[in-house]
Amino acid sequence: MLELDLSEQIAALRSTFHDIRTVVDVDALTAEIARLSEEAGAPDLWDDTAKAQQVTSALSHRQGELAKIESIQTRLDDLEVLIELANEAGDEDSAEEARVELAAIQKVLGDLEVQTLLNGEFDARPAVVTIRAGAGGVDAADFAEMLMRMYLRWAEKHGYSSTVMDTSYAEEAGIKSATFEIDAPYAFGTLGVEAGTHRLVRMSPFGAAGKRQTSFAAVEVIPLMEEAAVIEIPESDIRVDVFRSSGPGGQSVNTTDSAVRITHLPTGTVVSMQNEKSQIQNRAAAMRVLQSRLMLIQREQEAAQKKELAGNITASWGDQMRSYVLAPYQMVKDLRTEFEVNNPSAVFDGDLDGFINAGIRWRKQKHD
């Protein structure tokens, strides 16, 4: 007679779930949703488009958090009923269904538990990711474009909003650099662990046949600050250059000089934007990213703790954090957490959650 006993596993899940609910503070989350819903229902909300988008995005994120909590509660209750029915009927199919559901809930709770570690000052903010090709010539430029696609696919798989702000294409293949925004719940806290130097080892499709090539790309992640929180930048401290937006091979995206490059003279920080059609919009977007970067620099200086907030803002080639090996064997390995997988294709297609979760846990342990 079938006797499926998963009571210990379910008790452990309920204990973990209770801890998560305590950290999340469901009552406070519900109150915040009510407040944001009231703001979203205001008749004059869309008089200020930027504020309206901020309110509706925050409301959507908070509702998603609460829905996930409520869904887990329901799934745990349903799982216990399924086990009881499987035992009463002696049904092995139902028992297997219960085992599969148990594993699925364990994964969801594991991911949610990691999110409770995201309690940094800027962790809840959207993330601005910049990827730059490093050593390795055309292979590095191609690798940088592979990483860009990887993060955009990760966002797409999770249903997160992403916006490419600027792309500088390389002459032969790939990109010199790219900057994009990912607006997701705790985007900066989540993606911040991806900052650093990434290394690719493969048989080069651009060089001599049969020769392995090692190339590098740097990933920078900063939080996109709220406009109310940004720092003031005197006009005398910046130089603004305008140029024509261009695509691969130098093809013109439009026929006007709408792209903007802003250089902060005291620090040498440079931000380029060409995603928007108008020069005014590109300048505004570039200024917001510049202000976010400068605020981080200011916080780092005040705290005298470099790399604390944005990971490695200017990743050095000696600080490799992940290797992607395509030849002579297949493996992607994080050199900080030791987390690894043997399916680089899936990773480059956006399967990053294992690396990100391991990175968040590693960061927490490192800072405790």
Side-chain angles (χ1 to χ4, degrees), residues 158-177:
H158 286 279
Y160 299 153
S161 171
S162 63
T163 304
V164 177
M165 297 172 153
D166 179 64
T167 307
S168 175
Y169 292 93
E171 293 181 5
E172 186 173 341
I175 58 175
K176 296 177 182 177
S177 66

Side-chain angles (χ1 to χ4, degrees), residues 50 53-55 57-58 61 122 124-131 147-156 159-167 177-188 191-192 219-227 271-276 281-282 284-290 292-293:
Q53 290 175 337
Q54 182 182 347
V55 169
S57 176
H61 291 167
F122 305 121
R125 301 299 306 152
V128 176
V129 181
T130 298
I131 299 173
L147 290 178
M148 176 182 175
R149 179 186 180 277
M150 178 180 76
Y151 291 117
L152 294 179
R153 284 287 290 144
W154 173 82
E156 181 184 340
Y160 299 153
S161 171
S162 63
T163 304
V164 177
M165 297 172 153
D166 179 64
T167 307
S177 66
T179 298
F180 50 94
E181 176 188 348
I182 292 183
D183 187 8
Y186 293 88
F188 172 65
L191 290 174
V219 175
E220 173 199 83
V221 185
I222 64 171
L224 186 62
M225 305 299 188
E226 294 184 34
E227 293 187 15
V271 176
S272 298
M273 289 293 154
Q274 58 177 311
N275 181 64
E276 305 294 346
Q281 289 173 313
N282 279 321
M287 280 298 294
R288 192 174 177 197
V289 172
L290 176 60
S292 295
R293 284 182 175 162

Side-chain angles (χ1 to χ4, degrees), residues 232-240 262-263 265 283 287:
E232 294 295 325
I233 303 176
E235 285 291 323
S236 58
D237 282 356
I238 62 174
R239 183 179 73 243
V240 181
I262 300 179
T263 303
L265 301 175
R283 177 180 170 125
M287 280 298 294

